Amino acid sequence: MKYSSWNSVASYLVENIKKKIENGEYGEGSKLPSEKMLSEEYSVGRSSVREALKMLQAENLIEIVKGKGSFVLSTDARSKGIDQWYHSKKEVFRDLVEIRVALECLAVKKAAVKVTDDVIEKLISINQAYEATSATDITTRLEYDEAFHRLIVKTANMVLLEDIYNRFESAYTEYRIKGFVLTKYFEKAAEGHRQIIRAFQNRDEKSAEQLMYEHIYEVVDDIEKILEITK
């Protein structure tokens, strides 16, 4: 089994389980195989299975019920679930956004004066791959988006910041995926990445910091506008 340089084992599992849901092998309301069974079927670790199931839940394809397992959502539940989920977790979402802004604006400011041409080329390559990925392949686009932001944090070269960010990222992932699904933010994100890259090329730390702030809040504004409509 081969994975691309950016795709994770979890991404591979997500795409395979999605296909089985789409072709009816896992029908609406049906229970997915257990973590242990999926781990054995794909010869992967249970941590990768858990990550994949969380991503599928974040995309509103399944529901994980503690102590019972994972169940495929009906088409109706998928269409209604995302906005209801955001309404129920609005305060937590806002807190997470503020934490993300604090971490990433500091990271991009520090990275702007340390970035090398090699890192800039990697950021360009990641963003191009992001844009080339099908809009329906949310999992892969998410991975490219995360890779872009993770490389900026790494380039800041602050060990404690990177450690905090890595811990935070797992908590924010579900919100990030649902933001992508709910707002169709893909195209705006690519343009935001390009603007940040240009600031890096100019070694302009103030511009990079402001652009990161705007980049994060752009999707937040879109989400909140949609939530106002769905109230």
Side-chain angles (χ1 to χ4, degrees):
M1 178 186 307
K2 292 183 179 179
Y3 308 101
S4 76
S5 57
W6 296 110
N7 289 355
S8 65
V9 175
S11 173
Y12 177 85
L13 291 172
V14 167
E15 292 311 308
N16 274 267
I17 295 171
K18 269 187 186 179
K19 287 176 183 176
K20 291 186 177 183
I21 291 173
E22 289 166 2
N23 67 25
E25 187 171 341
Y26 299 146
E28 293 185 6
S30 67
K31 183 178 179 181
L32 295 182
S34 67
E35 286 183 8
K36 183 175 183 294
M37 292 172 69
L38 288 169
S39 176
E40 292 173 352
E41 179 181 351
Y42 290 99
S43 301
V44 298
R46 290 183 69 168
S47 61
S48 294
V49 173
R50 280 192 292 272
E51 184 181 352
L53 293 175
K54 285 180 181 178
M55 292 172 79
L56 287 164
Q57 178 172 249
E59 288 193 42
N60 220 44
L61 291 173
I62 68 169
E63 180 182 13
I64 300 172
V65 182
K66 191 173 181 179
K68 294 185 178 180
S70 302
F71 299 84
V72 179
L73 289 174
S74 67
T75 303
D76 186 54
R78 291 178 209 173
S79 64
K80 291 181 179 178
I82 296 177
D83 57 330
Q84 292 173 349
W85 182 90
Y86 262 115
H87 280 304
S88 70
K89 299 190 178 184
K90 197 170 185 179
E91 293 306 315
V92 175
F93 171 61
R94 286 175 175 169
D95 289 347
L96 285 171
V97 169
E98 288 188 19
I99 294 169
R100 184 185 176 195
V101 166
L103 294 174
E104 294 211 45
C105 284
L106 174 59
V108 78
K109 182 179 177 180
K110 295 294 184 181
V113 295
K114 298 177 182 178
V115 69
T116 63
D117 289 342
D118 181 55
V119 169
I120 289 173
E121 286 304 313
K122 286 180 181 177
L123 290 170
I124 291 171
S125 177
I126 293 169
N127 198 43
Q128 288 175 339
Y130 171 92
E131 290 188 278
T133 303
S134 168
T136 60
D137 189 354
I138 294 169
T139 304
T140 301
R141 276 202 162 182
L142 177 73
E143 289 189 343
Y144 284 125
D145 183 64
E146 289 179 340
F148 184 91
H149 287 268
R150 202 178 298 123
L151 180 54
I152 290 174
V153 173
K154 187 175 183 64
T155 303
N157 197 26
M158 299 174 70
V159 176
L160 182 56
L161 174 64
E162 187 173 358
D163 181 58
I164 293 171
Y165 181 79
N166 289 340
R167 294 168 186 266
F168 167 79
E169 192 177 38
S170 62
Y172 193 77
T173 295
E174 186 171 7
Y175 293 80
R176 195 179 220 155
I177 295 173
K178 288 184 183 292
F180 272 34
V181 174
L182 186 63
T183 66
K184 308 303 181 187
Y185 179 63
F186 314 120
E187 293 76 14
K188 288 184 179 180
E191 177 56 28
H193 293 167
R194 282 193 291 272
Q195 291 179 5
I196 291 168
I197 290 168
R198 283 195 289 271
F200 276 179
Q201 289 170 328
N202 295 325
R203 273 48 176 195
D204 186 343
E205 57 186 300
K206 288 185 179 179
S207 178
E209 184 179 15
Q210 181 60 32
L211 288 167
M212 181 62 79
Y213 179 92
E214 292 171 1
H215 177 59
I216 294 170
Y217 270 104
E218 190 169 27
V219 68
V220 173
D221 290 343
D222 284 354
I223 290 169
E224 294 194 336
K225 284 176 186 175
I226 290 170
L227 294 185
E228 287 301 316
I229 294 169
T230 58
K231 275 184 178 178

